[in-house]
Amino acid sequence: MKSILFEKGKEIHKELCEISDFIYHNPELGNEEYKAVEKLTSFLQEHDFEIETEFLGIKTAFRATYDSKKEGPTIGYLCEYDALPEIGHGCGHNMIGAMSAGAGVILSKVLDDIGGKIIVYGTPAEETNGAKVVFAEQGVFDELDVAMMVHPSDKTIESGTSMALYPLQFTYTGKTAHAASCPQDGINALNSVIQLFNGIDALRQHVTPDVRIHGIITNGGVAANIVPDKAIAQFYFRASKKEILDDVLVKVKNIAKGAALMTGSKLEITRYELPNDNLKTNKSLSEAFSKNLRKLGVKDIYEAKDTGSSDIGNVSHKTPTIHPYIGISNCNVTGHSVNMADATITPFAHERLLIGTLALAYTGYDVLMSKVNLND
């Protein structure tokens, strides 16, 4: 049956390259990816997928379904297609969207015979306010048996882990006063932020080595002779596991409250971006994908690595998930660079686009045929 999938892949290879190149030449920032969505959904619709656009009210999100109407697992493929400011597709999302949509189409060609369902999700804004977080919070991924995507890189790497991330904004409100003539009448909100930073720096001694904390002051006052009545700090808090991060957040919030008490200011704590859970790779699914890559001629597969943070982590807490990397260059290329963007449209990248697409389709087929033990 995989030979049939291979032939179907060759049939649509040129079209997949055209889709990837089109998205490359028309880079769109997160939640503005209208051209990419039109390109991907038109392709899926041509292959008999039922399309839901503006999914969950998100303008550039979609859900595309192919249902055999027979019992069987539900396979999920995740499309990304947002670009980076000025750089364009330096993270290779043009290829990710094409590979996931292509895998869904290829696998759909045998689905009526073997049963099951395929769902291709369009998940915008991975680089900023990742839609996968919203999908996960709304229970969308509960309908899946597995979720998969493959990311371009300069090396082929097994699916690994990513860090949990939680963004918090701390807004302190005080009272203005003349800093020289009547400072006693003011409440200095900036002092609150400074105490917040001092407290968090002290906390660094008492967290596990995997924890990362980084923040900035976005508002610290308007003039040196005016006691600042508003000061704002934004932080990213990260850890290897969501459970560790949750404990850190409790401590940080107490520090923030203490800073307000020290100065007499009022405090508001808000989540200014969507959080990312840590990625939990399903080992059996990952091994199946790597095995399929080897069948397709990819021999140099590096061991899994830890990455920064991504909304794919939220998916992995809902259903067995993989997020491997496929090498698209014969030399070192840095992610989030113009060089990486340009590497996605080379002849070698076009070859790897087909291999990545087929490996996703083959792995989906293995799940449908119960050849993968997902209970690892």
Side-chain angles (χ1 to χ4, degrees):
M1 190 69 79
K2 285 184 178 178
S3 62
I4 297 175
L5 298 178
F6 183 81
E7 292 302 319
K8 297 298 181 184
K10 288 202 301 182
E11 287 176 13
I12 65 170
H13 182 201
K14 182 179 179 181
E15 189 172 5
L16 293 179
C17 293
E18 289 173 351
I19 291 170
S20 177
D21 289 2
F22 174 86
I23 297 174
Y24 164 87
H25 287 294
N26 294 274
E28 300 164 298
L29 300 181
N31 295 316
E32 299 175 8
E33 315 99 317
Y34 296 101
K35 293 179 182 178
V37 168
E38 171 62 25
K39 197 72 173 176
L40 290 165
T41 55
S42 295
F43 169 67
L44 289 161
Q45 193 167 34
E46 287 171 5
H47 290 275
D48 301 319
F49 278 73
E50 294 183 7
I51 310 297
E52 299 170 69
T53 55
E54 298 190 20
F55 188 58
L56 295 185
I58 302 171
K59 294 290 186 181
T60 54
F62 67 84
R63 180 179 183 268
T65 305
Y66 189 98
D67 191 349
S68 70
K69 308 297 183 182
K70 298 178 181 178
E71 285 190 14
T74 300
I75 311 297
Y77 293 115
L78 308 174
C79 292
E80 295 176 357
Y81 33 76
D82 59 316
L84 294 159
E86 299 183 6
I87 293 173
H89 279 286
C91 206
H93 292 185
N94 51 317
M95 288 186 67
I96 293 174
M99 287 188 287
S100 288
V105 166
I106 291 169
L107 189 57
S108 73
K109 302 307 179 184
V110 301
L111 203 71
D112 291 342
D113 294 327
I114 61 178
K117 183 188 295 186
I118 300 165
I119 304 176
V120 179
Y121 300 96
T123 62
E126 187 275 334
E127 299 292 352
T128 51
N129 251 356
K132 297 186 199 69
V133 179
V134 178
F135 284 22
E137 289 178 345
Q138 295 295 319
V140 170
F141 300 122
D142 296 345
E143 65 186 337
L144 297 180
D145 289 279
V146 297
M148 294 181 278
M149 60 176 285
V150 60
H151 199 298
S153 180
D154 58 348
K155 296 181 179 67
T156 300
I157 308 170
E158 296 174 340
S159 183
T161 61
S162 67
M163 301 182 78
L165 175 149
Y166 206 97
L168 284 179
Q169 177 171 291
F170 304 89
T171 302
Y172 290 92
T173 303
K175 182 181 178 183
T176 57
H178 195 290
S181 64
C182 54
Q184 69 277 7
D185 294 332
I187 298 174
N188 195 318
L190 180 58
N191 281 347
S192 305
V193 166
I194 292 170
Q195 294 306 318
L196 170 70
F197 271 81
N198 289 338
I200 288 175
D201 284 342
L203 177 65
R204 294 179 195 275
Q205 303 174 56
H206 306 289
V207 295
T208 52
D210 59 297
V211 173
R212 299 288 183 271
I213 302 173
H214 27 264
I216 60 171
I217 298 173
T218 60
N219 184 343
V222 294
N225 65 343
I226 302 173
V227 174
D229 68 335
K230 178 170 280 190
I232 301 172
Q234 292 181 340
F235 276 84
Y236 276 164
F237 301 95
R238 304 181 198 250
S240 60
K241 294 182 180 179
K242 182 178 181 295
E243 294 77 14
I244 296 173
L245 185 57
D246 288 342
D247 182 61
V248 171
L249 292 174
V250 171
K251 295 175 181 178
V252 165
K253 289 176 181 178
N254 285 334
I255 289 170
K257 293 172 184 176
L261 288 171
M262 291 172 70
T263 57
S265 63
K266 295 180 180 179
L267 168 66
E268 181 184 14
I269 302 175
T270 55
R271 189 178 82 177
Y272 69 96
E273 289 179 3
L274 295 176
N276 295 159
D277 292 341
N278 57 295
L279 170 61
K280 301 193 300 181
T281 283
N282 184 278
K283 294 180 180 178
S284 296
L285 195 61
S286 178
E287 289 170 1
F289 182 85
S290 294
K291 183 178 179 180
N292 284 316
L293 274 182
R294 292 187 180 96
K295 287 181 179 178
L296 291 161
V298 180
K299 304 302 181 185
D300 295 328
I301 302 176
Y302 290 80
E303 291 185 1
K305 67 174 184 178
D306 298 333
T307 59
S309 303
S310 172
D311 58 359
I312 188 71
N314 300 62
V315 184
S316 71
H317 285 255
K318 297 293 185 179
T319 190
T321 301
I322 57 170
H323 181 272
Y325 293 80
I326 187 162
I328 63 168
S329 174
N330 289 316
C331 58
N332 292 333
V333 180
T334 303
H336 284 209
S337 69
V338 173
N339 289 340
M340 175 59 78
D342 292 344
T344 66
I345 59 169
T346 63
F348 184 62
H350 285 167
E351 291 176 16
R352 287 302 177 92
L353 186 152
L354 177 59
I355 291 173
T357 302
L358 285 168
L360 286 172
Y362 283 11
T363 307
Y365 175 79
D366 290 338
V367 173
L368 290 168
M369 300 305 293
S370 302
K371 295 181 179 181
V372 182
N373 179 13
L374 298 171
N375 299 315
D376 65 352

